[in-house]
Amino acid sequence: MANTETALKEALTSIEGATGVALVDYTSGMALGTLGGSKNFDLGVAAAGNTDVVRAKMRTMEHLGLKGQLEDILITLTDQYHLIRLLSGRSGNGLFLYLVLDIKRSNLAMARHQLKKIEQDIEV
């Protein structure tokens, strides 16, 4: 089991094209940890904003009566992928990993695979 800091470092260093990563509590909108980003890209602000995305999707699923579990959400920009991976299990309830990828340097399928592996190892 990896602690939050170790898991974030692993995501940023092992996932090709990763430029930022955060562990976020979507009930409060607070980033519990961030790594990467830049002066032009504040991961704390992005994490807080993406809590609205997660909440909206969960409300929509509830209204539609969908019983499946939300795994991840992909937002595609012209130069970036933003991947939101909800943590499953008891310790991950209410949390998600938020990953920012450079679209030119990343492989989305591999990033999803690696993020899922990191999620399974994380200890909150």
mmCIF file of all heavy atoms in Angstrom, residues 1-15 21 23 35 97 114-115 118-119 121-123:
data_model
loop_
_atom_site.group_PDB
_atom_site.id
_atom_site.type_symbol
_atom_site.label_atom_id
_atom_site.label_comp_id
_atom_site.label_asym_id
_atom_site.label_seq_id
_atom_site.Cartn_x
_atom_site.Cartn_y
_atom_site.Cartn_z
ATOM 1 N N MET A 1 0.841 -1.190 0.000
ATOM 2 C CA MET A 1 0.000 0.000 0.000
ATOM 3 C C MET A 1 0.888 1.255 0.000
ATOM 4 O O MET A 1 1.833 1.346 0.755
ATOM 5 C CB MET A 1 -0.896 0.037 1.237
ATOM 6 C CG MET A 1 -1.946 -1.011 1.268
ATOM 7 S SD MET A 1 -3.223 -0.581 0.094
ATOM 8 C CE MET A 1 -4.321 -1.915 0.332
ATOM 9 N N ALA A 2 0.525 2.208 -0.831
ATOM 10 C CA ALA A 2 1.291 3.445 -0.950
ATOM 11 C C ALA A 2 0.529 4.584 -0.295
ATOM 12 O O ALA A 2 -0.687 4.655 -0.375
ATOM 13 C CB ALA A 2 1.520 3.767 -2.424
ATOM 14 N N ASN A 3 1.273 5.480 0.361
ATOM 15 C CA ASN A 3 0.599 6.651 0.909
ATOM 16 C C ASN A 3 0.332 7.644 -0.223
ATOM 17 O O ASN A 3 0.753 7.435 -1.360
ATOM 18 C CB ASN A 3 1.402 7.267 2.048
ATOM 19 C CG ASN A 3 2.716 7.878 1.595
ATOM 20 O OD1 ASN A 3 2.895 8.226 0.432
ATOM 21 N ND2 ASN A 3 3.641 8.012 2.506
ATOM 22 N N THR A 4 -0.387 8.697 0.080
ATOM 23 C CA THR A 4 -0.812 9.652 -0.946
ATOM 24 C C THR A 4 0.366 10.240 -1.708
ATOM 25 O O THR A 4 0.376 10.257 -2.943
ATOM 26 C CB THR A 4 -1.637 10.783 -0.298
ATOM 27 O OG1 THR A 4 -2.775 10.205 0.338
ATOM 28 C CG2 THR A 4 -2.089 11.791 -1.325
ATOM 29 N N GLU A 5 1.377 10.706 -1.001
ATOM 30 C CA GLU A 5 2.524 11.347 -1.654
ATOM 31 C C GLU A 5 3.239 10.377 -2.596
ATOM 32 O O GLU A 5 3.572 10.733 -3.727
ATOM 33 C CB GLU A 5 3.500 11.872 -0.599
ATOM 34 C CG GLU A 5 4.659 12.645 -1.192
ATOM 35 C CD GLU A 5 5.586 13.197 -0.117
ATOM 36 O OE1 GLU A 5 5.132 13.437 1.019
ATOM 37 O OE2 GLU A 5 6.772 13.389 -0.437
ATOM 38 N N THR A 6 3.448 9.155 -2.143
ATOM 39 C CA THR A 6 4.109 8.148 -2.970
ATOM 40 C C THR A 6 3.275 7.829 -4.203
ATOM 41 O O THR A 6 3.802 7.710 -5.313
ATOM 42 C CB THR A 6 4.362 6.860 -2.153
ATOM 43 O OG1 THR A 6 5.138 7.196 -1.002
ATOM 44 C CG2 THR A 6 5.082 5.814 -2.969
ATOM 45 N N ALA A 7 1.968 7.697 -4.034
ATOM 46 C CA ALA A 7 1.084 7.391 -5.158
ATOM 47 C C ALA A 7 1.090 8.514 -6.187
ATOM 48 O O ALA A 7 1.115 8.258 -7.395
ATOM 49 C CB ALA A 7 -0.328 7.139 -4.654
ATOM 50 N N LEU A 8 1.067 9.769 -5.724
ATOM 51 C CA LEU A 8 1.097 10.905 -6.645
ATOM 52 C C LEU A 8 2.420 10.957 -7.402
ATOM 53 O O LEU A 8 2.437 11.207 -8.617
ATOM 54 C CB LEU A 8 0.842 12.212 -5.900
ATOM 55 C CG LEU A 8 -0.546 12.372 -5.275
ATOM 56 C CD1 LEU A 8 -0.648 13.703 -4.531
ATOM 57 C CD2 LEU A 8 -1.651 12.238 -6.300
ATOM 58 N N LYS A 9 3.528 10.700 -6.703
ATOM 59 C CA LYS A 9 4.841 10.673 -7.366
ATOM 60 C C LYS A 9 4.897 9.574 -8.415
ATOM 61 O O LYS A 9 5.413 9.771 -9.511
ATOM 62 C CB LYS A 9 5.956 10.462 -6.342
ATOM 63 C CG LYS A 9 6.323 11.686 -5.568
ATOM 64 C CD LYS A 9 7.460 11.408 -4.604
ATOM 65 C CE LYS A 9 7.735 12.610 -3.737
ATOM 66 N NZ LYS A 9 8.760 12.328 -2.718
ATOM 67 N N GLU A 10 4.345 8.409 -8.069
ATOM 68 C CA GLU A 10 4.338 7.298 -9.019
ATOM 69 C C GLU A 10 3.538 7.658 -10.266
ATOM 70 O O GLU A 10 3.958 7.387 -11.388
ATOM 71 C CB GLU A 10 3.768 6.040 -8.370
ATOM 72 C CG GLU A 10 3.802 4.841 -9.300
ATOM 73 C CD GLU A 10 3.240 3.582 -8.679
ATOM 74 O OE1 GLU A 10 3.014 3.532 -7.470
ATOM 75 O OE2 GLU A 10 3.012 2.630 -9.456
ATOM 76 N N ALA A 11 2.392 8.287 -10.084
ATOM 77 C CA ALA A 11 1.562 8.677 -11.225
ATOM 78 C C ALA A 11 2.300 9.674 -12.113
ATOM 79 O O ALA A 11 2.316 9.535 -13.340
ATOM 80 C CB ALA A 11 0.241 9.267 -10.743
ATOM 81 N N LEU A 12 2.918 10.664 -11.502
ATOM 82 C CA LEU A 12 3.577 11.714 -12.287
ATOM 83 C C LEU A 12 4.810 11.190 -13.014
ATOM 84 O O LEU A 12 5.092 11.612 -14.137
ATOM 85 C CB LEU A 12 3.939 12.894 -11.384
ATOM 86 C CG LEU A 12 4.288 14.195 -12.087
ATOM 87 C CD1 LEU A 12 3.125 14.701 -12.933
ATOM 88 C CD2 LEU A 12 4.678 15.254 -11.075
ATOM 89 N N THR A 13 5.533 10.265 -12.392
ATOM 90 C CA THR A 13 6.773 9.784 -13.006
ATOM 91 C C THR A 13 6.587 8.570 -13.905
ATOM 92 O O THR A 13 7.342 8.389 -14.844
ATOM 93 C CB THR A 13 7.832 9.457 -11.932
ATOM 94 O OG1 THR A 13 7.311 8.461 -11.044
ATOM 95 C CG2 THR A 13 8.231 10.699 -11.157
ATOM 96 N N SER A 14 5.586 7.751 -13.644
ATOM 97 C CA SER A 14 5.454 6.514 -14.417
ATOM 98 C C SER A 14 4.470 6.612 -15.572
ATOM 99 O O SER A 14 4.494 5.767 -16.464
ATOM 100 C CB SER A 14 5.052 5.356 -13.501
ATOM 101 O OG SER A 14 3.709 5.490 -13.065
ATOM 102 N N ILE A 15 3.602 7.602 -15.561
ATOM 103 C CA ILE A 15 2.618 7.723 -16.638
ATOM 104 C C ILE A 15 3.147 8.710 -17.682
ATOM 105 O O ILE A 15 3.323 9.894 -17.397
ATOM 106 C CB ILE A 15 1.242 8.164 -16.096
ATOM 107 C CG1 ILE A 15 0.709 7.119 -15.100
ATOM 108 C CG2 ILE A 15 0.269 8.383 -17.240
ATOM 109 C CD1 ILE A 15 -0.590 7.493 -14.426
ATOM 110 N N VAL A 21 -0.989 15.829 -11.172
ATOM 111 C CA VAL A 21 -1.854 14.832 -10.561
ATOM 112 C C VAL A 21 -2.295 15.339 -9.197
ATOM 113 O O VAL A 21 -1.555 16.057 -8.525
ATOM 114 C CB VAL A 21 -1.135 13.457 -10.458
ATOM 115 C CG1 VAL A 21 0.082 13.535 -9.564
ATOM 116 C CG2 VAL A 21 -2.082 12.365 -10.011
ATOM 117 N N LEU A 23 -4.980 14.206 -5.632
ATOM 118 C CA LEU A 23 -5.967 13.385 -4.944
ATOM 119 C C LEU A 23 -6.970 14.358 -4.357
ATOM 120 O O LEU A 23 -6.593 15.292 -3.643
ATOM 121 C CB LEU A 23 -5.318 12.551 -3.839
ATOM 122 C CG LEU A 23 -6.290 11.685 -3.025
ATOM 123 C CD1 LEU A 23 -6.935 10.616 -3.909
ATOM 124 C CD2 LEU A 23 -5.583 11.045 -1.842
ATOM 125 N N LEU A 35 0.684 17.310 -7.190
ATOM 126 C CA LEU A 35 2.063 17.239 -7.651
ATOM 127 C C LEU A 35 2.068 17.623 -9.127
ATOM 128 O O LEU A 35 1.228 17.136 -9.906
ATOM 129 C CB LEU A 35 2.603 15.823 -7.466
ATOM 130 C CG LEU A 35 4.108 15.624 -7.463
ATOM 131 C CD1 LEU A 35 4.783 16.465 -6.387
ATOM 132 C CD2 LEU A 35 4.429 14.157 -7.236
ATOM 133 N N LEU A 97 -8.769 10.519 -8.126
ATOM 134 C CA LEU A 97 -7.468 10.919 -8.647
ATOM 135 C C LEU A 97 -7.724 11.733 -9.905
ATOM 136 O O LEU A 97 -8.549 11.357 -10.747
ATOM 137 C CB LEU A 97 -6.616 9.697 -8.988
ATOM 138 C CG LEU A 97 -5.984 8.976 -7.813
ATOM 139 C CD1 LEU A 97 -5.451 7.615 -8.244
ATOM 140 C CD2 LEU A 97 -4.861 9.816 -7.217
ATOM 141 N N GLN A 114 -2.512 2.394 -15.972
ATOM 142 C CA GLN A 114 -1.574 2.687 -14.883
ATOM 143 C C GLN A 114 -2.262 3.394 -13.717
ATOM 144 O O GLN A 114 -1.958 3.126 -12.557
ATOM 145 C CB GLN A 114 -0.397 3.514 -15.411
ATOM 146 C CG GLN A 114 0.518 2.700 -16.307
ATOM 147 C CD GLN A 114 1.578 3.580 -16.935
ATOM 148 O OE1 GLN A 114 1.320 4.243 -17.933
ATOM 149 N NE2 GLN A 114 2.760 3.573 -16.347
ATOM 150 N N LEU A 115 -3.184 4.296 -14.016
ATOM 151 C CA LEU A 115 -3.894 5.005 -12.951
ATOM 152 C C LEU A 115 -4.751 4.035 -12.138
ATOM 153 O O LEU A 115 -4.842 4.144 -10.915
ATOM 154 C CB LEU A 115 -4.744 6.138 -13.529
ATOM 155 C CG LEU A 115 -5.166 7.221 -12.550
ATOM 156 C CD1 LEU A 115 -3.965 7.886 -11.895
ATOM 157 C CD2 LEU A 115 -6.023 8.251 -13.251
ATOM 158 N N ILE A 118 -2.421 2.262 -9.780
ATOM 159 C CA ILE A 118 -2.041 3.153 -8.678
ATOM 160 C C ILE A 118 -3.196 3.282 -7.701
ATOM 161 O O ILE A 118 -3.001 3.257 -6.481
ATOM 162 C CB ILE A 118 -1.591 4.522 -9.223
ATOM 163 C CG1 ILE A 118 -0.249 4.360 -9.954
ATOM 164 C CG2 ILE A 118 -1.502 5.562 -8.109
ATOM 165 C CD1 ILE A 118 0.145 5.548 -10.794
ATOM 166 N N GLU A 119 -4.405 3.375 -8.216
ATOM 167 C CA GLU A 119 -5.597 3.473 -7.350
ATOM 168 C C GLU A 119 -5.692 2.262 -6.425
ATOM 169 O O GLU A 119 -5.999 2.398 -5.236
ATOM 170 C CB GLU A 119 -6.849 3.539 -8.208
ATOM 171 C CG GLU A 119 -8.134 3.446 -7.408
ATOM 172 C CD GLU A 119 -9.294 2.789 -8.133
ATOM 173 O OE1 GLU A 119 -9.171 2.506 -9.327
ATOM 174 O OE2 GLU A 119 -10.310 2.550 -7.471
ATOM 175 N N ASP A 121 -3.350 0.496 -5.239
ATOM 176 C CA ASP A 121 -2.261 0.477 -4.256
ATOM 177 C C ASP A 121 -2.324 1.604 -3.238
ATOM 178 O O ASP A 121 -1.598 1.581 -2.258
ATOM 179 C CB ASP A 121 -0.906 0.539 -4.967
ATOM 180 C CG ASP A 121 -0.616 -0.709 -5.773
ATOM 181 O OD1 ASP A 121 -1.239 -1.756 -5.496
ATOM 182 O OD2 ASP A 121 0.238 -0.649 -6.687
ATOM 183 N N ILE A 122 -3.175 2.603 -3.481
ATOM 184 C CA ILE A 122 -3.171 3.785 -2.633
ATOM 185 C C ILE A 122 -3.810 3.495 -1.272
ATOM 186 O O ILE A 122 -4.785 2.769 -1.165
ATOM 187 C CB ILE A 122 -3.859 4.973 -3.324
ATOM 188 C CG1 ILE A 122 -3.458 6.282 -2.661
ATOM 189 C CG2 ILE A 122 -5.363 4.820 -3.335
ATOM 190 C CD1 ILE A 122 -3.843 7.499 -3.474
ATOM 191 N N GLU A 123 -3.227 4.068 -0.263
ATOM 192 C CA GLU A 123 -3.744 3.948 1.105
ATOM 193 C C GLU A 123 -4.062 5.346 1.606
ATOM 194 O O GLU A 123 -3.191 6.197 1.674
ATOM 195 C CB GLU A 123 -2.685 3.299 1.992
ATOM 196 C CG GLU A 123 -3.119 3.091 3.421
ATOM 197 C CD GLU A 123 -2.021 2.423 4.223
ATOM 198 O OE1 GLU A 123 -1.752 1.242 3.972
ATOM 199 O OE2 GLU A 123 -1.419 3.114 5.065
#
